[in-house]
Amino acid sequence: MTSSDDAAQRPVREGPYHHGDLRNALVQASAQLAEIGGPSAVTVRAAARAVGVTATAAYRHFTNHEELLTAVCEQAEQALFEALSSAMESVPPQADPTATAIAQLATAGRAYIEYADRERGLFRTAFCIGEIDVEKDVREDPIFALLATGLDGLVAVGFMDPRQRPGAEFTGWAAVHGLAGLIVDGPLADVSDEEREAAIRHAVATVLRGFATGPHAEPYRSTDPHIALDA
């Protein structure tokens, strides 16, 4: 795991900017700034300095700090989504489709928390925008859609009762995001690796046990290693 102290020692890659997509270069540089220092490190002037252009040139693409931070927020969210998607895709298909569906969702939940712990600056930045866009449908969020796919898989194999399915994305997301927040900026920030692992395992198992309401949920509640708390 990468500590915040380790991250603070990593330099932003600087160098003269010659040609190409300056806007994208500024976003990339700002993402590196966020990785090290979180959202407060993202400024137009700092991004311009990192890519080797004048602040005036940078302000042609981002008129203020909020515009740049919004772009970096979207990039940070995309990086988190890619980490979750890659984790789910890495789960090998098993002979038992129910075990596969459980493992995919459990792996995604763990990947969410581990990404937050590993990339604390980017994780903070991904959710740093204070004003909520009331026009945005959360169901269009890639992370929400990924969770929906995993939950649909649980219903398809009979692990989750379809009556419990509506809104279950919020339950799962809230649980892993809440624990991630405790690890990144809360009382679990400095606990031992063993205590952190126990918290992650318990959170994922508890969520899955709560979802185990379908006709085929047993005996997975007590035997599947992703769910059985005493396994």
Side-chain angles (χ1 to χ4, degrees):
M1 297 180 184
T2 302
S3 68
S4 56
D5 291 339
D6 292 336
Q9 296 174 6
R10 288 181 291 181
V12 174
R13 293 185 291 276
E14 297 190 11
Y17 177 80
H18 297 296
H19 57 78
D21 185 355
L22 177 55
R23 186 183 191 282
N24 185 60
L26 291 167
V27 173
Q28 293 292 336
S30 297
Q32 294 173 36
L33 291 166
E35 182 180 355
I36 296 169
S40 62
V42 178
T43 68
V44 177
R45 290 185 178 276
R49 187 164 53 249
V51 299
V53 300
T54 66
T56 300
Y59 277 116
R60 294 193 187 104
H61 296 273
F62 297 100
T63 58
N64 54 46
H65 163 75
E66 287 72 21
E67 282 189 9
L68 177 58
L69 188 58
T70 297
V72 179
C73 173
E74 293 173 353
Q75 178 131 333
E77 284 187 292
Q78 179 63 26
L80 175 57
F81 165 76
E82 290 173 359
L84 302 186
S85 180
S86 177
M88 290 184 73
E89 291 174 359
S90 71
V91 175
Q94 303 179 40
D96 179 1
T98 302
T100 302
I102 293 171
Q104 286 178 330
L105 201 59
T107 299
R110 172 175 287 276
Y112 190 103
I113 300 167
E114 290 180 346
Y115 177 89
D117 191 21
R118 183 175 65 251
E119 302 288 355
R120 296 188 175 196
L122 284 176
F123 181 76
R124 293 185 185 105
T125 304
F127 299 97
C128 71
I129 303 301
E131 294 186 8
I132 298 175
D133 184 356
V134 295
E135 300 296 328
K136 182 179 179 180
D137 186 351
V138 69
R139 292 165 182 79
E140 297 177 358
D141 188 295
I143 294 176
F144 187 96
L146 197 67
L147 284 171
T149 298
L151 291 165
D152 289 344
L154 294 184
V155 172
V157 295
F159 181 82
M160 174 187 277
D161 189 319
R163 293 173 297 179
Q164 188 189 14
R165 174 64 186 82
E169 294 92 344
F170 296 111
T171 302
W173 198 347
V176 296
H177 186 83
L179 180 56
L182 293 176
I183 290 174
V184 172
D185 291 311
L188 298 183
D190 297 317
V191 299
S192 67
D193 290 345
E194 291 76 14
E195 290 175 300
R196 185 181 294 107
E197 169 59 25
I200 294 173
R201 183 166 171 269
H202 197 284
V204 172
T206 300
V207 170
L208 285 168
R209 286 169 68 84
F211 288 158
T213 54
H216 301 150
E218 295 294 349
Y220 298 98
R221 287 174 58 92
S222 57
T223 61
D224 191 287
H226 296 291
I227 307 173
L229 295 175
D230 59 349

